């Protein structure tokens, strides 16, 4: 599943083909994504210049003078740049055709992705309005994380995966950051002292930044390609390593389930 680093890497990969270009047409082949692609979106976007492609949490915001469209990659979505005359494949649900004779093509076998209209204040869209700060933004600090956890009995792992607390920390990165910070995933958010929360906030930023950096270097070409998602192999220390040796102490990594998501941790290194 694309997490925040993949979405950011996708943004960086396709932005040069969109920013400063004009949308000649939006071609929707299948409206049945997670939410139906709004009827009339073709008209809204057609002829619009793209001022910027930005990101909020795991949403890409295609900003135009008429307003912004919002793209989510869902569970299996990916985007790539193809020549105007390249025929679409089975799961290529929509195309953004630009005046550079290129198409930014959205592929999503499982159709949990989305393309929505967000108007001129996209950050006030119901899907975005309640989100907490960006984990890589200046507002996400150890002090903030500690304040947000005060009095909370929820586990720290569920706390950092709550998008109202911080936007876009997915399961893989929550596991990795807690391991790197030496914090037990089951510990109540309200029972972690400020210095450890500061360390955790730093590690969340570090795991996400590392993944984005790695995505930048191992990135497949967003131009052309075979339509396979641009997800990259990350250097994971604890995620999906149950019963393998902990990279710090060699004891076996444990696996539990929290909030229906798999948690991996070292009982010896994480307290
Ligand atoms: Zn260990």
């Amino acid at each position: 599943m694309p997490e925040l680093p993949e979405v950011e890497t996708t943004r960086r990969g396709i932005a040069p083909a969109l920013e400063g270009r004009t949308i000649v047409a939006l071609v929707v082949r299948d409206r049945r994504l997670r939410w139906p692609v709004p009827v009339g979106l073709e008209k809204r976007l057609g002829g619009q210049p793209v001022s910027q492609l930005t990101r909020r949490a795991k949403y890409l915001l295609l900003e135009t003078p008429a307003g912004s469209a919002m793209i989510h990659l869902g569970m299996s979505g990916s985007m790539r740049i193809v020549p105007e005359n390249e025929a679409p494949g089975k799961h290529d649900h929509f195309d953004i055709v630009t005046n550079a004779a290129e198409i930014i093509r959205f592929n999503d076998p499982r159709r949990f992705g989305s393309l929505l209209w967000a108007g001129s204040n996209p950050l006030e869209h119901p899907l975005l309005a309640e989100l907490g700060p960006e984990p890589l933004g200046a507002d996400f600090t150890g002090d903030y994380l500690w304040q947000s956890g005060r009095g909370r009995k929820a586990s720290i792992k569920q706390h950092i995966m709550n998008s109202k607390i911080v936007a876009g920390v997915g399961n893989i990165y929550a596991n990795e950051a807690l391991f790197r910070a030496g914090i037990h995933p089951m510990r109540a958010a309200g029972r972690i002292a400020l210095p450890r929360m500061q360390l955790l906030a730093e590690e969340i930023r570090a795991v996400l930044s590392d993944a984005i950096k790695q995505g930048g270097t191992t990135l497949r070409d967003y131009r052309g390609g075979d339509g396979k998602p641009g997800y990259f192999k990350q250097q994971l220390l604890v995620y999906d390593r149950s019963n393998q040796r902990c990279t710090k102490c060699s004891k076996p990594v444990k696996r539990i389930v929290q909030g229906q998501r798999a948690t991996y941790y070292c009982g010896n290194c994480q307290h």
Side-chain angles (χ1 to χ4, degrees):
M1 187 195 309
E3 293 209 32
L4 190 148
E6 281 89 357
V7 179
E8 176 60 22
T9 307
T10 298
R11 189 192 68 76
R12 294 179 186 185
I14 64 174
L18 285 165
E19 292 177 347
R21 304 252 166 99
T22 295
I23 300 172
V24 172
L26 168 71
V27 179
V28 183
R29 275 179 222 92
D30 194 342
R31 306 196 97 85
R32 297 167 305 162
L33 299 181
R34 177 170 182 186
W35 296 287
V37 176
V39 174
L41 195 57
E42 291 90 336
K43 237 182 186 162
R44 285 186 191 275
L45 287 177
Q48 288 294 315
V50 178
S51 35
Q52 264 194 112
L53 182 71
T54 58
R55 180 186 58 74
R56 176 72 171 114
K58 283 165 59 170
Y59 288 90
L60 293 172
L61 298 174
L62 182 69
E63 300 180 7
T64 78
S68 297
M70 217 161 74
I71 301 166
H72 197 283
L73 300 177
M75 312 276 284
S76 58
S78 63
M79 299 185 81
R80 67 200 162 105
I81 306 158
V82 299
E84 201 174 33
N85 56 4
E86 187 169 310
K90 191 177 171 197
H91 303 294
D92 291 336
H93 303 308
F94 68 83
D95 287 349
I96 302 164
V97 187
T98 74
N99 62 340
E102 283 179 331
I103 290 170
I104 291 74
R105 183 161 277 172
F106 179 88
N107 177 281
D108 186 3
R110 297 184 65 184
R111 288 196 281 113
F112 277 100
S114 58
L115 171 63
L116 295 169
W117 181 247
S120 40
N121 293 306
L123 299 182
E124 287 164 24
H125 188 280
L127 289 167
L128 304 186
E130 310 250 292
L131 293 175
E134 284 289 319
L136 296 171
D139 295 342
F140 182 68
T141 61
D143 286 14
Y144 164 80
L145 191 56
W146 180 73
Q147 281 289 351
S148 71
R150 287 183 75 184
R152 301 271 183 130
K153 294 195 175 82
S155 73
I156 185 61
K157 184 178 175 227
Q158 286 177 293
H159 189 69
I160 59 175
M161 286 185 68
N162 178 348
S163 62
K164 291 183 181 175
I165 301 297
V166 52
V169 178
N171 196 36
I172 293 175
Y173 298 101
N175 275 290
E176 292 294 306
L178 286 165
F179 176 75
R180 286 164 64 151
I183 296 174
H184 197 291
M186 298 274 278
R187 179 168 280 270
R191 298 206 52 209
I192 299 172
L194 177 59
R196 300 185 80 204
M197 281 299 213
Q198 285 169 330
L199 179 60
L200 179 57
E202 274 169 39
E203 295 295 359
I204 288 171
R205 299 171 77 101
V207 289
L208 293 171
S209 310
D210 286 357
I212 292 168
K213 257 182 231 153
Q214 209 167 338
T217 55
T218 64
L219 189 58
R220 84 198 156 83
D221 196 350
Y222 274 83
R223 248 165 234 288
D226 54 8
K228 281 190 190 137
Y231 317 149
F232 31 90
K233 273 262 177 236
Q234 296 116 12
Q235 200 60 47
L236 300 175
L237 298 177
V238 71
Y239 182 82
D240 205 18
R241 298 190 71 242
S242 70
N243 293 320
Q244 295 179 42
R245 285 173 183 280
C246 168
T247 50
K248 283 185 197 162
C249 75
S250 296
K251 294 226 159 54
V253 169
K254 292 180 184 164
R255 180 187 189 276
I256 54 169
V257 174
Q258 286 178 286
Q260 296 165 324
R261 305 301 300 275
T263 295
Y264 302 87
Y265 70 101
C266 173
N268 189 43
C269 296
Q270 293 174 254
H271 307 282

